[in-house]
Amino acid sequence: MPLWDEVRTSGRNEKFRENYVRNWIRTLGDGHGRTFLDVGAGNMPYRKQINEVGFDYLGHDFGQYTGDNQHPGLQAGNANWTTSGHDITCDIVELPKNIADFIICTEVLEHVPDPLAALNSISAALKVGGSALVTVPLQSRMHQAPYWFVSGFSPYWFHYHAPLIGLEVIEVIKAGDFVDQTIQEFGLFASILKLGHATQFILRIIAPIMRKLSNKKLLESGGLGVYVHLKKQANLRN
Protein backbone atom coordinates (compact mmCIF):
# COMPACT_ATOMS: atom_id res chain seq x y z
CA MET A 1 0.00 0.00 0.00
CA PRO A 2 1.49 3.39 -1.00
CA LEU A 3 2.39 5.86 1.75
CA TRP A 4 0.47 8.59 -0.06
CA ASP A 5 -1.72 9.35 -3.04
CA GLU A 6 -0.62 12.01 -5.51
CA VAL A 7 -3.03 14.36 -7.23
CA ARG A 8 -2.47 16.84 -10.05
CA THR A 9 -3.22 20.50 -9.34
CA SER A 10 -2.31 22.20 -12.65
CA GLY A 11 -0.32 24.67 -10.57
CA ARG A 12 -3.42 26.02 -8.83
CA ASN A 13 -2.16 25.31 -5.34
CA GLU A 14 -4.24 27.70 -3.25
CA LYS A 15 -7.49 27.07 -5.14
CA PHE A 16 -6.97 23.31 -5.09
CA ARG A 17 -6.29 23.31 -1.32
CA GLU A 18 -9.30 25.52 -0.61
CA ASN A 19 -11.62 23.16 -2.50
CA TYR A 20 -10.05 20.12 -0.84
CA VAL A 21 -10.59 21.45 2.69
CA ARG A 22 -14.18 22.49 1.96
CA ASN A 23 -14.98 19.12 0.42
CA TRP A 24 -13.56 17.38 3.51
CA ILE A 25 -15.80 19.46 5.75
CA ARG A 26 -18.80 18.44 3.62
CA THR A 27 -18.05 14.77 4.19
CA LEU A 28 -18.52 15.18 7.96
CA GLY A 29 -22.29 15.55 7.71
CA ASP A 30 -24.54 17.14 10.31
CA GLY A 31 -22.48 18.91 12.93
CA HIS A 32 -25.11 19.42 15.62
CA GLY A 33 -23.81 18.46 19.04
CA ARG A 34 -20.22 18.31 17.82
CA THR A 35 -17.35 20.77 18.23
CA PHE A 36 -15.08 21.88 15.40
CA LEU A 37 -11.75 23.52 16.25
CA ASP A 38 -9.98 25.61 13.59
CA VAL A 39 -6.34 25.77 14.73
CA GLY A 40 -4.34 28.78 13.55
CA ALA A 41 -7.52 30.08 11.97
CA GLY A 42 -6.22 33.52 10.95
CA ASN A 43 -9.06 35.17 9.03
CA MET A 44 -11.33 32.18 9.72
CA PRO A 45 -12.33 31.50 6.08
CA TYR A 46 -14.13 28.24 6.96
CA ARG A 47 -16.16 29.57 9.87
CA LYS A 48 -19.36 30.25 7.89
CA GLN A 49 -19.40 26.83 6.21
CA ILE A 50 -18.75 25.01 9.48
CA ASN A 51 -21.48 26.93 11.31
CA GLU A 52 -23.98 26.36 8.50
CA VAL A 53 -23.85 22.58 8.97
CA GLY A 54 -24.42 22.91 12.71
CA PHE A 55 -20.99 22.51 14.29
CA ASP A 56 -20.02 24.47 17.36
CA TYR A 57 -17.14 26.38 15.73
CA LEU A 58 -14.10 27.40 17.76
CA GLY A 59 -11.53 29.56 16.02
CA HIS A 60 -8.04 29.58 17.48
CA ASP A 61 -5.06 31.82 16.77
CA PHE A 62 -2.09 33.20 18.67
CA GLY A 63 -3.11 36.70 17.57
CA GLN A 64 0.38 38.11 16.98
CA TYR A 65 0.83 38.11 13.21
CA THR A 66 -0.41 41.41 11.79
CA GLY A 67 0.47 41.16 8.09
CA ASP A 68 3.24 43.72 8.58
CA ASN A 69 4.82 44.45 5.20
CA GLN A 70 8.00 45.72 6.84
CA HIS A 71 9.29 42.15 7.15
CA PRO A 72 11.05 40.30 4.30
CA GLY A 73 9.14 37.93 2.06
CA LEU A 74 5.45 37.67 1.20
CA GLN A 75 3.02 39.29 3.65
CA ALA A 76 -0.75 39.42 3.96
CA GLY A 77 -0.89 43.19 4.52
CA ASN A 78 -2.16 44.84 7.70
CA ALA A 79 -5.56 45.66 6.22
CA ASN A 80 -6.16 42.04 5.16
CA TRP A 81 -5.41 40.24 8.41
CA THR A 82 -7.27 39.97 11.70
CA THR A 83 -5.70 39.47 15.11
CA SER A 84 -8.97 39.48 17.05
CA GLY A 85 -12.35 37.78 17.18
CA HIS A 86 -11.04 34.28 17.79
CA ASP A 87 -12.69 32.07 20.39
CA ILE A 88 -9.34 30.85 21.72
CA THR A 89 -6.21 33.02 21.77
CA CYS A 90 -3.09 31.18 22.90
CA ASP A 91 0.11 29.60 21.67
CA ILE A 92 -0.61 26.53 19.56
CA VAL A 93 1.16 24.30 22.10
CA GLU A 94 -1.33 25.44 24.79
CA LEU A 95 -4.60 24.33 23.17
CA PRO A 96 -7.28 23.18 25.62
CA LYS A 97 -7.33 19.42 25.94
CA ASN A 98 -10.06 17.04 24.80
CA ILE A 99 -12.42 19.69 23.39
CA ALA A 100 -12.86 18.91 19.68
CA ASP A 101 -14.58 16.24 17.62
CA PHE A 102 -12.91 17.62 14.49
CA ILE A 103 -9.93 19.86 13.82
CA ILE A 104 -8.57 21.62 10.78
CA CYS A 105 -5.09 23.11 10.76
CA THR A 106 -4.37 24.57 7.34
CA GLU A 107 -0.97 26.01 6.41
CA VAL A 108 0.02 26.62 10.04
CA LEU A 109 2.77 24.21 11.09
CA GLU A 110 5.43 25.97 9.02
CA HIS A 111 4.77 29.06 11.15
CA VAL A 112 5.52 27.58 14.57
CA PRO A 113 9.00 27.06 16.07
CA ASP A 114 8.29 23.48 17.16
CA PRO A 115 5.85 21.82 14.72
CA LEU A 116 6.05 18.45 16.49
CA ALA A 117 4.95 20.04 19.79
CA ALA A 118 2.16 21.74 17.85
CA LEU A 119 0.98 18.43 16.37
CA ASN A 120 1.08 16.89 19.84
CA SER A 121 -1.09 19.75 21.11
CA ILE A 122 -3.57 19.12 18.27
CA SER A 123 -3.68 15.47 19.28
CA ALA A 124 -4.37 16.43 22.90
CA ALA A 125 -7.17 18.80 21.84
CA LEU A 126 -8.97 16.01 19.94
CA LYS A 127 -11.44 13.77 21.70
CA VAL A 128 -10.80 10.04 21.39
CA GLY A 129 -12.03 8.94 17.98
CA GLY A 130 -11.92 12.52 16.69
CA SER A 131 -10.45 13.42 13.31
CA ALA A 132 -8.17 16.16 12.03
CA LEU A 133 -7.17 17.46 8.63
CA VAL A 134 -3.73 19.08 8.53
CA THR A 135 -2.41 20.78 5.39
CA VAL A 136 1.17 21.99 5.00
CA PRO A 137 3.39 23.08 2.12
CA LEU A 138 5.77 20.54 0.68
CA GLN A 139 8.03 23.54 0.12
CA SER A 140 7.35 27.25 0.31
CA ARG A 141 8.83 30.69 -0.17
CA MET A 142 9.33 32.96 2.84
CA HIS A 143 5.96 34.28 3.96
CA GLN A 144 4.31 35.76 7.04
CA ALA A 145 7.70 36.59 8.56
CA PRO A 146 8.91 36.71 11.25
CA TYR A 147 6.65 33.69 11.92
CA TRP A 148 8.07 31.38 9.24
CA PHE A 149 10.28 28.62 10.58
CA VAL A 150 10.03 25.64 8.22
CA SER A 151 9.80 25.79 4.43
CA GLY A 152 7.80 22.56 4.17
CA PHE A 153 7.06 19.01 5.32
CA SER A 154 7.33 15.64 3.64
CA PRO A 155 4.69 12.92 3.94
CA TYR A 156 7.30 10.85 5.79
CA TRP A 157 7.29 13.43 8.62
CA PHE A 158 3.67 12.61 9.42
CA HIS A 159 4.05 8.85 8.95
CA TYR A 160 6.92 8.89 11.44
CA HIS A 161 5.65 11.27 14.11
CA ALA A 162 1.86 10.86 14.16
CA PRO A 163 1.71 7.29 15.54
CA LEU A 164 4.16 8.24 18.29
CA ILE A 165 1.72 10.80 19.67
CA GLY A 166 -1.44 8.71 19.36
CA LEU A 167 -2.63 9.77 15.90
CA GLU A 168 -3.51 7.23 13.24
CA VAL A 169 -2.69 8.31 9.70
CA ILE A 170 -5.85 7.65 7.69
CA GLU A 171 -4.76 9.18 4.41
CA VAL A 172 -1.94 11.32 2.99
CA ILE A 173 -2.26 13.31 -0.22
CA LYS A 174 0.72 14.86 -1.99
CA ALA A 175 -0.64 17.74 -4.02
CA GLY A 176 1.20 18.18 -7.27
CA ASP A 177 4.42 17.00 -8.87
CA PHE A 178 7.43 18.70 -10.47
CA VAL A 179 5.34 19.82 -13.46
CA ASP A 180 2.63 21.33 -11.26
CA GLN A 181 5.33 23.09 -9.28
CA THR A 182 6.89 24.42 -12.49
CA ILE A 183 3.54 25.73 -13.72
CA GLN A 184 2.97 27.62 -10.50
CA GLU A 185 6.47 29.07 -10.19
CA PHE A 186 6.86 30.02 -13.83
CA GLY A 187 3.42 31.61 -13.71
CA LEU A 188 4.60 33.85 -10.89
CA PHE A 189 7.67 34.81 -12.89
CA ALA A 190 5.47 35.52 -15.91
CA SER A 191 3.36 37.89 -13.81
CA ILE A 192 6.52 39.92 -13.13
CA LEU A 193 6.96 40.21 -16.90
CA LYS A 194 3.27 41.21 -17.13
CA LEU A 195 2.44 38.29 -19.39
CA GLY A 196 -0.86 37.74 -17.62
CA HIS A 197 -2.31 34.24 -17.37
CA ALA A 198 -1.34 33.23 -20.90
CA THR A 199 1.89 31.52 -19.86
CA GLN A 200 0.23 29.33 -17.21
CA PHE A 201 -2.57 28.49 -19.64
CA ILE A 202 -0.06 27.30 -22.25
CA LEU A 203 1.90 25.32 -19.66
CA ARG A 204 -1.28 23.55 -18.51
CA ILE A 205 -2.03 22.55 -22.09
CA ILE A 206 1.43 21.07 -22.63
CA ALA A 207 1.68 19.57 -19.12
CA PRO A 208 1.08 15.98 -20.36
CA ILE A 209 3.99 16.36 -22.79
CA MET A 210 6.19 17.81 -20.04
CA ARG A 211 5.43 14.78 -17.88
CA LYS A 212 6.29 12.34 -20.65
CA LEU A 213 9.60 14.08 -21.22
CA SER A 214 10.47 14.31 -17.52
CA ASN A 215 12.37 11.74 -15.52
CA LYS A 216 10.03 9.83 -13.18
CA LYS A 217 12.22 10.56 -10.16
CA LEU A 218 12.25 14.26 -10.97
CA LEU A 219 8.46 14.29 -11.22
CA GLU A 220 8.17 12.58 -7.85
CA SER A 221 10.58 15.01 -6.21
CA GLY A 222 8.34 18.03 -6.79
CA GLY A 223 5.02 19.09 -5.38
CA LEU A 224 3.13 21.87 -3.69
CA GLY A 225 1.48 20.56 -0.56
CA VAL A 226 0.77 17.68 1.79
CA TYR A 227 -2.72 16.99 3.17
CA VAL A 228 -3.04 14.54 6.06
CA HIS A 229 -6.13 12.91 7.59
CA LEU A 230 -5.52 11.88 11.20
CA LYS A 231 -7.61 10.10 13.83
CA LYS A 232 -7.17 10.14 17.61
CA GLN A 233 -6.46 6.69 18.95
CA ALA A 234 -7.96 5.42 22.20
CA ASN A 235 -4.71 4.32 23.84
CA LEU A 236 -3.30 7.82 24.34
CA ARG A 237 -1.65 9.26 27.42
CA ASN A 238 -2.79 12.89 26.90
Side-chain angles (χ1 to χ4, degrees):
M1 182 177 179
L3 290 174
W4 62 80
D5 293 320
E6 185 171 287
V7 295
R8 306 276 168 78
T9 66
S10 297
R12 299 181 177 95
N13 186 35
E14 187 172 348
K15 181 178 180 181
F16 186 90
R17 182 180 64 248
E18 173 85 2
N19 290 336
Y20 190 92
V21 174
R22 292 193 180 280
N23 286 336
W24 184 78
I25 294 170
R26 291 188 190 100
T27 67
L28 305 180
D30 184 5
H32 288 88
R34 298 187 289 179
T35 300
F36 202 120
L37 176 61
D38 188 351
V39 175
N43 288 340
M44 298 175 282
Y46 304 106
R47 182 170 198 160
K48 181 179 178 182
Q49 179 188 0
I50 291 168
N51 279 333
E52 284 178 347
V53 292
F55 286 103
D56 179 15
Y57 175 92
L58 295 175
H60 156 268
D61 204 87
F62 77 144
Q64 296 180 34
Y65 176 70
T66 64
D68 188 354
N69 286 311
Q70 299 303 311
H71 291 285
L74 301 174
Q75 302 293 344
N78 301 76
N80 299 319
W81 200 260
T82 180
T83 58
S84 61
H86 301 99
D87 303 287
I88 302 170
T89 302
C90 68
D91 192 288
I92 192 171
V93 299
E94 299 172 345
L95 294 173
K97 291 180 170 29
N98 197 39
I99 62 166
D101 298 284
F102 297 100
I103 288 178
I104 53 171
C105 181
T106 61
E107 310 303 288
V108 174
L109 294 187
E110 71 270 28
H111 298 292
V112 299
D114 189 341
L116 180 55
L119 188 64
N120 196 24
S121 183
I122 289 170
S123 176
L126 270 177
K127 298 176 183 177
V128 171
S131 298
L133 173 62
V134 178
T135 77
V136 290
L138 185 67
Q139 47 193 309
S140 65
R141 293 175 299 278
M142 183 181 293
H143 63 289
Q144 296 187 5
Y147 305 106
W148 183 75
F149 301 98
V150 182
S151 62
F153 296 82
S154 82
Y156 296 107
W157 190 89
F158 290 94
H159 277 295
Y160 179 85
H161 288 294
L164 300 178
I165 57 175
L167 293 172
E168 179 186 359
V169 177
I170 303 299
E171 183 180 40
V172 178
I173 302 292
K174 185 165 84 72
D177 59 10
F178 176 73
V179 171
D180 289 314
Q181 185 180 353
T182 301
I183 293 171
Q184 174 179 277
E185 298 304 307
F186 197 84
L188 291 171
F189 181 71
S191 68
I192 297 173
L193 302 178
K194 302 189 183 303
L195 298 177
H197 299 291
T199 303
Q200 279 190 319
F201 179 73
I202 293 171
L203 286 173
R204 287 174 185 135
I205 290 177
I206 66 173
I209 298 174
M210 294 168 65
R211 287 192 173 92
K212 286 184 179 179
L213 295 175
S214 297
N215 179 280
K216 180 176 182 291
K217 297 298 183 183
L218 180 61
L219 285 174
E220 293 172 340
S221 72
L224 299 164
V226 177
Y227 312 154
V228 186
H229 297 233
L230 301 162
K231 187 172 183 179
K232 176 75 166 283
Q233 297 173 348
N235 56 341
L236 191 65
R237 294 189 300 271
N238 288 324

